[in-house]
Amino acid sequence: MSIATKRAAVVCSGDVIGYEGAWHTVKEAKTDIGPMGGLAVVVTWEEGGTARFPAGDEVILGEPDSDNSTH
């Protein structure tokens, strides 16, 4: 019997993410309420600016010094 799984992304400061055709370094990642009332992840870039992503099971926020073996 197989179990369905999803891919997950662990996001924390210092991570480098491809976004809108360029590489950006995460300065800060936090949760917030989205425009439709759902959970959102707000990422502030070292290069300036922010991005807002709908959150779900596939997004996990981590601490830079946490012991996460997945990032």
Side-chain angles (χ1 to χ4, degrees):
M1 182 171 171
S2 69
I3 298 172
T5 59
K6 290 183 179 182
R7 293 185 180 180
V10 177
V11 179
C12 66
S13 60
D15 287 346
V16 178
I17 298 174
Y19 177 68
E20 293 187 337
W23 292 104
H24 299 277
T25 305
V26 176
K27 180 177 182 180
E28 179 185 20
K30 63 182 182 176
T31 57
D32 198 1
I33 302 299
M36 300 297 289
L39 187 62
V41 174
V42 179
V43 178
T44 303
W45 308 115
E46 290 282 349
E47 299 80 8
T50 61
R52 180 180 293 268
F53 303 96
D57 293 339
E58 65 279 355
V59 179
I60 302 167
L61 297 182
E63 295 294 325
D65 296 328
S66 66
D67 187 35
N68 289 324
S69 59
T70 57
H71 76 284

